[in-house]
Amino acid sequence: MASAPASHRTQVEPVSGLRRLVRYSDVALAAGVVAIVALMILPIPAHILDILITTNIALALTILLVSLYIQEPLQFSAFPTVLLLATLFRLALNITSTRLILLQGNAGEVINAFGHFVVGGNYIVGIVVFVILVVIQFVVITNGAGRVAEVAARFTLDAMPGKQMSIDADLNAGLITEEEARRRRQEIAREADFYGAMDGASKFVKGDAIAGIVIILINIVGGIAIGALQRGMPLEEALRTYALLTVGDGLVSQIPALLISTATGIIVTRSASDANLGLDLARQIFSAPRALAIAGVLLAVLGLAPGLPAPPFFLGAVGMLGAALALRQPRRPVATESPQPAPEAEEVLPEVTPVDPLELEIGYGLIPLVDQASGGQLLRRITLLRKQIAQELGFVMPTVRIRDNLTLRPNEYRILVRGVKAGDGEAYPDRLMVMTTTGDAPQLDGIAAREPAFGLPAVWIPEGQRAAAEAQGYAVVDAASVITTHLSEVVRRHAAALLRRQDVQRLLDTVRREHPAVVDELVPHLLSLSEVHQVLQLLLEEQVPIRDLVTILEVLGNHARTVRNVHVLAEHVRHALAATITQQYVAPDGTLGALVLYPELATQLGELIHHSDEGPQLALPPERLQALLTAVAQEMERIAALGYQPVLLVPATIRAAVSRTLRRSLPNLPVLAYQEVAPSVRVQVLGTVRG
């Protein structure tokens, strides 16, 4: 096959060596670690050792400078591993240089220069300098950094539960989003991992300092033995030769080690900031010019003391006082006209605070319930409630903004939906609510009340009476559970109002990732986002879950070409979700306790239906409506006494209108069409409404 013409060949951008190295950094790292291990075993020439020693010094300087420019320790989260590799590399160089010193009496130009030039060819001075460096590194920097890393790791791990609870509190209060909460949790985990790793990595530096001392002693003793015994050198010459080389080797190793130890201390003592270390020091030190002035005066006083050289102290005093004056000098105001009167209040407009979808206002007596430090469980319960609502209804419940309200009674709370009160009640943090499942008032001493969610008679008892109440068969719940249950019922009743259009868009985006054809066919070609939103709201108004969003969208796509009325579309969706709807009301034995309309009554109601833009309505006279409500309520009570969830079955043609009419007075009565009952469910007619 002929090659393509040059004009049609793909132009490949050349990749530089450095970019190629970055691209294959994992391969380069693996090769580097293998090379370090090989360096401990295989002999290398002295000139290559010079290059490797220079690389080690450059690496240490780079690590130190990077630690100076980071704003928080987590920006250099790979430092513990870098510390390990740098220590391993330095020890490998020690082994290689020791081999060359003892075998050849020469370890390259770099070590020779440090042995002769840095310490002036005096091995005693070199040994003293080496010991001082080791003491500074081991006793001062390494021990301090290790202790700081240990304490930081301990405090970080101890503070993790509190930080997690603080994130949950901010999330439930609506101060942060789910994404922000997830990011903060990841940051806490990374912080714990980092300081835990630093606690162990600091031991590398300490071990490296000890190894340096042992290596220099071995080299001196071994060198003297080889020079005097094997090569016949005089003892003084052997000591001078090998001691200088050993000191040079020690200095070459300890100087990078000191730099990395300093970097370790800087990182573990660094706190989070919006600037690097240099800027922080400049801001904080020079923020107090009075301190500089006092220091300058003290230097001047020392310069006047007899016996002390005056020029250095006076020079320092002038510098400190000059800096203090420069910092204290106020800025000269720019020449302007006479000051103008302050602008009128009309220019300072108050901010318009948006209405929160869901709010919980509490009296000051309920504050302990939201204080996690004192054991409050309300925030955690609300978090679990949000997950439960998402699993049951199929949409994410809005965050609950909790705020105290001094106008409420101490133990009173109020639930607001879009700024309008949707429920209220009282709770006692230091008591337990006791109630019966039969609806009878508990025969216990306490504060009489009603369960706020369902209106059952209840009593608030002291916590010490829990065992006695449970022994009598009463249901016992704490204050946090009472409020959470009430909030749950409010959310279910107002789910349609809480489902915002942006929420629908997010749901569609989620479905699009797995079923793109379903969404792309429907929105916006057949239905707008607003119309889909209205259909979902109609379903939620009657407690129909929207978890199976794929089926809902497919049904809408099947009928939207011929039907644009959202109420009719919602009825089509209900028929497709028959199994989902029915399973909510089926008894444990698989039976649906049904309540039906007398055929003549159903026919009459069908003739009274009026269709409008807001959906089908029943045009019943007030007295006829009241009679219908009374008859339905009586049958509901009788069926509930039998242990069944009452469900009204009606023809599909009147279902929407009957449900809308009865929902205002009987919100707990589900109204289903005959077609909405799953085929596998056994229907037992327990009552008939004659109206």
Side-chain angles (χ1 to χ4, degrees):
M1 189 174 179
S3 61
S7 59
H8 293 81
R9 294 177 184 174
T10 303
Q11 299 292 328
V12 180
E13 183 180 356
V15 181
S16 63
L18 183 59
R19 289 188 177 184
R20 189 181 300 274
L21 181 62
V22 172
R23 178 180 298 179
Y24 301 103
S25 57
D26 54 340
V27 179
L29 179 61
V33 173
V34 173
I36 291 173
V37 176
L39 193 62
M40 299 180 181
I41 304 172
L42 303 176
I44 62 171
H47 63 277
I48 296 180
L49 179 61
D50 290 339
I51 297 175
L52 295 177
I53 291 174
T54 306
T55 303
N56 184 35
I57 296 174
L59 177 63
L61 285 172
T62 303
I63 294 174
L64 176 61
L65 294 175
V66 170
S67 67
L68 292 175
Y69 279 97
I70 62 174
Q71 297 178 2
E72 58 180 6
L74 289 181
Q75 291 183 345
F76 201 178
S77 59
F79 182 77
T81 305
V82 172
L83 183 60
L84 170 62
L85 296 177
T87 303
L88 184 63
F89 182 42
R90 191 163 57 252
L91 293 176
L93 292 179
N94 281 137
I95 296 173
T96 301
S97 61
T98 298
R99 185 187 299 114
L100 290 175
I101 290 173
L102 297 181
L103 289 178
Q104 303 177 11
N106 181 26
E109 296 297 331
V110 176
I111 292 178
N112 186 65
F114 270 82
H116 288 81
F117 177 74
V118 176
V119 298
N122 192 325
Y123 62 87
I124 297 178
V125 175
I127 293 174
V128 172
V129 173
F130 174 81
V131 171
I132 293 174
L133 288 176
V134 171
V135 169
I136 293 174
Q137 178 187 350
F138 183 75
V139 178
V140 181
I141 301 177
T142 303
N143 276 345
R147 180 57 179 167
V148 172
E150 180 183 353
V151 174
R154 184 180 305 168
F155 284 168
T156 300
L157 294 175
D158 291 343
M160 278 191 66
K163 292 181 178 179
Q164 294 283 3
M165 290 188 291
S166 176
I167 294 173
D168 293 338
D170 291 345
L171 178 61
N172 291 320
L175 301 177
I176 58 176
T177 61
E178 292 278 1
E179 292 77 11
E180 177 66 15
R182 192 178 300 109
R183 186 193 65 80
R184 289 189 183 182
R185 293 190 185 99
Q186 292 175 353
E187 185 176 349
I188 291 174
R190 290 178 59 230
E191 186 179 16
D193 294 339
F194 174 78
Y195 283 108
M198 284 300 303
D199 185 21
S202 61
K203 306 297 188 298
F204 300 150
V205 182
K206 183 181 296 185
D208 182 44
I210 298 173
I213 297 174
V214 175
I215 290 173
I216 193 171
L217 293 177
I218 294 175
N219 284 353
I220 291 176
V221 174
I224 293 174
I226 293 175
L229 300 179
Q230 292 186 358
R231 299 184 178 182
M233 299 171 62
L235 184 62
E236 177 68 21
E237 184 181 353
L239 178 61
R240 183 173 60 256
T241 301
Y242 288 98
L244 281 175
L245 291 175
T246 301
V247 168
D249 182 28
L251 293 176
V252 166
S253 301
Q254 288 305 309
I255 290 176
L258 181 62
L259 296 177
I260 293 181
S261 298
T262 305
T264 304
I266 291 174
I267 288 179
V268 297
T269 57
R270 186 85 168 101
S271 58
S273 174
D274 58 350
N276 56 56
L277 181 59
L279 291 177
D280 282 345
L281 290 176
R283 292 173 182 174
Q284 296 171 20
I285 292 178
F286 295 119
S287 63
R290 183 176 299 178
L292 298 177
I294 295 174
V297 172
L298 292 177
L299 286 178
V301 172
L302 290 175
L304 297 175
L308 294 178
F313 289 97
F314 285 152
L315 184 61
V318 171
M320 299 291 284
L321 293 174
L325 291 175
L327 294 173
R328 287 180 59 89
Q329 184 177 4
R331 295 181 178 178
R332 295 182 179 179
V334 181
T336 59
E337 299 179 359
S338 58
Q340 299 294 325
E344 298 292 335
E346 61 183 8
E347 297 186 6
V348 184
L349 299 177
E351 295 184 359
V352 179
T353 305
V355 177
D356 294 305
L358 197 57
E359 300 175 73
L360 176 61
E361 297 181 343
I362 59 176
Y364 67 84
L366 300 180
I367 293 178
L369 292 178
V370 298
D371 185 8
Q372 295 182 336
S374 60
Q377 296 292 317
L378 185 57
L379 296 178
R380 188 177 66 86
R381 300 283 178 83
I382 291 177
T383 301
L384 297 176
L385 174 62
R386 297 186 71 204
K387 296 179 180 178
Q388 181 183 350
I389 293 295
Q391 294 172 356
E392 292 182 1
L393 296 182
F395 82 102
V396 179
M397 166 184 159
T399 55
V400 182
R401 186 174 298 276
I402 303 175
R403 56 168 59 94
D404 59 328
N405 190 340
L406 297 179
T407 64
L408 299 177
R409 294 189 298 273
N411 296 305
E412 186 182 4
Y413 66 89
R414 182 187 299 159
I415 302 173
L416 305 177
V417 176
R418 298 196 179 276
V420 180
K421 187 180 76 171
D424 59 359
E426 285 189 318
Y428 298 86
D430 56 343
R431 289 176 174 264
L432 301 172
M433 174 174 280
V434 175
M435 54 190 163
T436 64
T437 57
T438 60
D440 300 327
Q443 301 301 315
L444 293 173
D445 294 333
I447 303 174
R450 283 198 171 271
E451 198 278 329
F454 306 103
L456 299 175
V459 175
W460 288 97
I461 64 172
E463 293 186 0
Q465 300 183 15
R466 174 194 285 269
E470 292 177 344
Q472 299 182 41
Y474 294 124
V476 182
V477 292
D478 58 12
S481 298
V482 172
I483 297 176
T484 305
T485 303
H486 194 185
L487 180 63
S488 169
E489 292 302 311
V490 169
V491 170
R492 287 180 171 86
R493 287 200 309 268
H494 297 83
L498 294 173
L499 182 67
R500 297 161 294 187
R501 194 157 299 173
Q502 186 61 40
D503 299 328
V504 177
Q505 184 62 62
R506 282 195 288 267
L507 292 174
L508 294 179
D509 293 339
T510 302
V511 175
R512 183 181 280 109
R513 287 196 288 267
E514 297 292 336
H515 306 275
V518 177
V519 180
D520 295 339
E521 179 192 14
L522 181 64
V523 181
H525 304 292
L526 299 179
L527 294 177
S528 64
L529 179 63
S530 171
E531 291 170 322
V532 176
H533 181 209
Q534 294 177 62
V535 172
L536 297 181
Q537 284 183 314
L538 291 173
L539 296 174
L540 291 174
E541 281 181 359
E542 300 190 58
Q543 305 296 306
V544 178
I546 59 174
R547 296 194 311 272
D548 192 2
L549 195 57
V550 175
T551 299
I552 295 174
L553 298 178
E554 288 177 345
V555 174
L556 293 178
N558 295 336
H559 296 85
R561 297 185 184 276
T562 57
V563 179
R564 294 300 297 266
N565 190 302
V566 293
H567 299 277
V568 179
L569 290 174
E571 294 301 309
H572 286 299
V573 173
R574 290 180 60 94
H575 297 167
L577 299 178
T580 302
I581 296 174
T582 309
Q583 70 176 0
Q584 303 178 83
Y585 313 115
V586 175
D589 59 356
T591 301
L592 181 67
L595 176 66
V596 298
L597 299 178
Y598 196 67
E600 285 79 2
L601 177 61
T603 302
Q604 294 173 6
L605 294 179
E607 296 173 352
L608 296 174
I609 292 178
H610 172 68
H611 295 277
S612 65
D613 294 338
E614 297 181 358
Q617 307 277 348
L618 277 179
L620 283 175
E623 62 277 2
R624 184 71 181 281
L625 177 60
Q626 186 60 44
L628 177 62
L629 294 174
T630 302
V632 173
Q634 291 175 351
E635 291 296 322
M636 285 180 61
E637 293 180 2
R638 190 176 60 82
I639 295 175
L642 299 175
Y644 291 92
Q645 163 69 51
V647 175
L648 179 61
L649 294 182
V650 298
T653 54
I654 65 173
R655 195 214 66 83
V658 172
S659 176
R660 183 182 294 272
T661 301
L662 299 181
R663 197 185 311 148
R664 299 186 181 95
S665 301
L666 303 172
N668 296 324
L669 175 64
V671 181
L672 307 184
Y674 293 113
Q675 295 86 342
E676 296 172 358
V677 179
S680 59
V681 176
R682 182 170 60 89
V683 179
Q684 185 176 357
V685 179
L686 301 177
T688 303
V689 179
R690 297 182 178 272

